[in-house]
Amino acid sequence: MKMTGNTILITGGNGGIGRALAEAFLAKGNEVIVTGRDKAKLEDVVSANPGIHAMELDVADPKAIEAFAQKLTADFPALNVVINNAGIMRPEEASEAAIETAEATVATNLLGPIRLTTALLPHLLGKDDAAVLTVSSGLAFVPRATFPTYCATKAAIHSWSMSLNHQLAGTSVQVIELAPPYVQTQLTGAHQASDPNAMPLADYISETMQILESEPDAREILVSRVQPLRWAERDRNFQQVFGRLNG
């Protein structure tokens, strides 16, 4: 992936990893568009970062995605990079049989990226140096049992990214998976943003950008902090890592 001169869409760019990536790519000389469901947060991003554009989007809404894709490509015809970052992470108890959380998580974390990428792919295939980046998680490889559907959607995103990469081989569209570790954001609540056990957000973004720049053909962006989760199966210590994560 080239690091400058792009027109980049980042879903869920109104906070956390999405906003931090938007600011990092803006600083590199890219045109950046962020989306989110919270208008006030989007306005805050734009106010703090002159040059970033904002558009409201609920990635869990199929009809909204169709209309959004048409407007986006009309307003930003140079669009060549999509970063599927929007996601939710909510705890679930199997004994409670509350299916609403699972359905919302699948709609946002899995169907959202698939629908949006599908809608924008014809446009991207007409661009040089195009890329689709999708945020999975270290929990795609070793699940945290209190968030079963979240972990399942991230495992599915990993598999989907591998298949998409294979199908698009030989085209102008590069497929990249970002698999963050536990990072200081508000994904699971305010406590996570200051949890000393989580990787500082600035450190995660800095290392991610460095890998993207130094390894332009990389298919997976794995910071050092996520390596134990990513390679637990290969290293034959999955049960030990799972035990530590869920102890």
Side-chain angles (χ1 to χ4, degrees):
M1 172 181 176
K2 70 173 185 174
M3 296 298 288
T4 189
N6 300 294
T7 299
I8 304 174
L9 171 71
I10 304 177
T11 66
N14 55 357
I17 288 174
R19 176 172 178 167
L21 283 173
E23 293 169 344
F25 276 111
L26 181 69
K28 288 281 186 182
N30 299 281
E31 185 169 32
V32 179
I33 309 103
V34 297
T35 76
R37 292 181 289 191
D38 189 320
K39 184 177 180 180
K41 288 183 178 179
L42 288 173
E43 291 175 347
D44 180 63
V45 174
V46 171
S47 176
N49 298 278
I52 287 183
H53 309 277
M55 299 175 68
E56 289 184 66
L57 174 66
D58 180 358
V59 298
D61 184 341
K63 292 183 178 179
I65 286 178
E66 292 177 11
F68 172 83
Q70 293 177 7
K71 179 171 174 53
L72 176 69
T73 53
D75 291 352
F76 299 95
L79 177 78
N80 68 313
V81 176
V82 174
I83 302 180
N84 292 301
N85 166 77
I88 59 175
M89 185 176 184
R90 299 170 182 168
E92 300 168 78
E93 289 292 337
S95 60
E96 295 177 358
I99 197 65
E100 293 84 2
T101 294
E103 290 177 340
T105 303
V106 170
T108 301
N109 296 4
L110 179 58
L111 293 177
I114 292 174
R115 287 170 173 152
L116 183 59
T117 300
T118 299
L120 293 174
L121 196 54
H123 174 86
L124 295 175
L125 286 167
K127 299 295 179 182
D128 295 329
D129 300 312
V132 173
L133 293 79
T134 305
V135 177
S136 64
S137 170
L139 300 181
F141 309 101
V142 182
R144 186 174 170 189
T146 48
F147 299 91
T149 304
Y150 173 86
C151 298
T153 59
K154 294 305 182 178
I157 282 295
H158 170 67
S159 177
W160 176 74
S161 295
M162 292 178 65
S163 296
L164 189 66
N165 182 77
H166 180 77
Q167 290 190 16
L168 296 180
T171 74
S172 64
V173 181
Q174 184 179 0
V175 178
I176 303 170
E177 177 185 354
L178 306 181
Y182 182 41
V183 176
Q184 288 180 345
T185 70
Q186 296 196 38
L187 181 61
T188 60
H191 67 282
Q192 183 176 332
S194 58
D195 189 341
N197 295 311
M199 184 176 188
L201 178 58
D203 292 350
Y204 172 71
I205 296 299
S206 176
E207 190 173 349
T208 294
M209 295 297 286
Q210 187 275 325
I211 295 171
L212 283 167
E213 194 153 16
S214 63
E215 302 178 30
D217 296 324
R219 298 180 181 180
E220 294 182 29
I221 306 303
L222 305 169
V223 301
S224 57
R225 191 91 168 245
V226 82
Q227 299 277 349
L229 295 173
R230 174 65 181 94
W231 304 117
E233 286 279 7
R234 182 198 66 183
D235 296 339
R236 300 183 180 181
N237 64 349
F238 178 89
Q239 290 301 329
Q240 295 94 314
V241 176
F242 182 85
R244 288 197 299 269
L245 190 64
N246 294 285

